[in-house]
């Protein structure tokens, strides 16, 4: 799976932003408070249903809704899809297939099933835990797993 684009509307400090990502290693840099962590949080919330605080705090102050769209290249069929999640008023979650012009999945559970299949994640894996333990590990905690017992490390 490859993330090729992240679009944010009314999310935290972002009123309207599109971030294009190329294959390979991507470094996101900026001053404190510039929105670097928000990009990772947007991926976590949209693809893995992981948000470390309330949705009300995720939506830009003063707005009734916020929306994230993450465009991915599927590990299953190598096609691009747009995974959209709207927070607040009119909340929704769906996968759009731009090639066919249709929704490939709609609703939280259908989107989770679709994502597991297209990201190549086994059926029983908890998406939230996968993100929290491997992808969106908070700063300073990346090596914390090595302090846990061998059995706990194996499970993760």
């Amino acid at each position: 799976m490859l993330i090729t684009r992240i679009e944010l509307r009314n999310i935290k400090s972002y009123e309207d932003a599109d971030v294009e990502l190329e294959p390979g290693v991507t470094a996101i840099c900026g001053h404190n408070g510039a929105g670097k962590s928000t990009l990772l949080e947007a991926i976590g919330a949209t693809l893995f249903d992981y948000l470390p605080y309330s949705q009300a705090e995720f939506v830009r102050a003063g707005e009734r809704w916020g929306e994230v769209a993450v465009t991915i290249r599927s590990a299953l069929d190598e096609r691009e899809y747009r995974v959209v999640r709207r927070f607040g008023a009119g909340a929704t979650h769906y996968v759009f297939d731009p090639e066919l012009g249709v929704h490939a999945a709609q609703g939280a559970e259908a989107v989770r099933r679709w994502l597991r299949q297209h990201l190549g994640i086994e059926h029983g894996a908890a998406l939230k835990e996968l993100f929290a333990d491997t992808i969106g590990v908070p700063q300073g905690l990346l090596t914390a797993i090595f302090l846990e017992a061998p059995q706990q490390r194996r499970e993760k």
Side-chain angles (χ1 to χ4, degrees):
M1 186 255 330
L2 174 69
I3 296 173
T4 60
R5 182 183 189 122
I6 305 167
E7 301 167 65
L8 301 110
R9 308 285 178 266
N10 296 329
I11 298 294
K12 290 180 80 173
S13 64
Y14 291 99
E15 182 177 355
D16 187 10
D18 293 337
V19 179
E20 299 269 347
L21 302 171
E22 298 292 328
V25 176
T26 300
I28 300 170
C29 55
H31 297 288
N32 287 344
K36 303 176 301 293
S37 295
T38 301
L39 293 173
L40 188 59
E41 292 166 354
I43 292 167
T46 305
L47 300 182
F48 297 91
D49 199 26
Y50 179 84
L51 193 59
Y53 44 80
S54 75
Q55 290 186 20
E57 293 173 279
F58 194 50
V59 173
R60 185 176 168 86
E63 299 295 342
R64 294 179 21 116
W65 62 273
E67 186 174 277
V68 176
V70 179
T71 302
I72 65 165
R73 185 165 306 135
S74 168
L76 182 65
D77 61 15
E78 294 296 317
R79 292 179 48 221
E80 283 200 346
Y81 297 89
R82 194 167 177 254
V83 183
V84 179
R85 185 160 182 194
R86 186 176 177 132
F87 303 89
T92 188
H93 201 183
Y94 63 90
V95 178
F96 182 73
D97 181 338
E99 189 175 307
L100 300 178
V102 299
H103 286 146
Q106 190 155 1
E109 188 53 41
V111 169
R112 282 192 289 271
R113 279 193 308 273
W114 188 94
L115 284 166
R116 278 191 186 91
Q117 182 182 20
H118 285 263
L119 298 178
I121 299 169
E122 60 186 60
H123 178 67
L127 294 177
K128 286 181 184 182
E129 290 176 13
L130 176 65
F131 183 82
D133 292 340
T134 61
I135 300 166
V137 180
Q139 285 181 333
L141 296 180
L142 188 60
T143 58
I145 185 66
F146 297 108
L147 299 174
E148 295 185 18
Q151 180 63 32
Q152 291 170 310
R153 289 195 308 267
R154 271 193 291 283
E155 289 174 10
K156 286 187 181 185

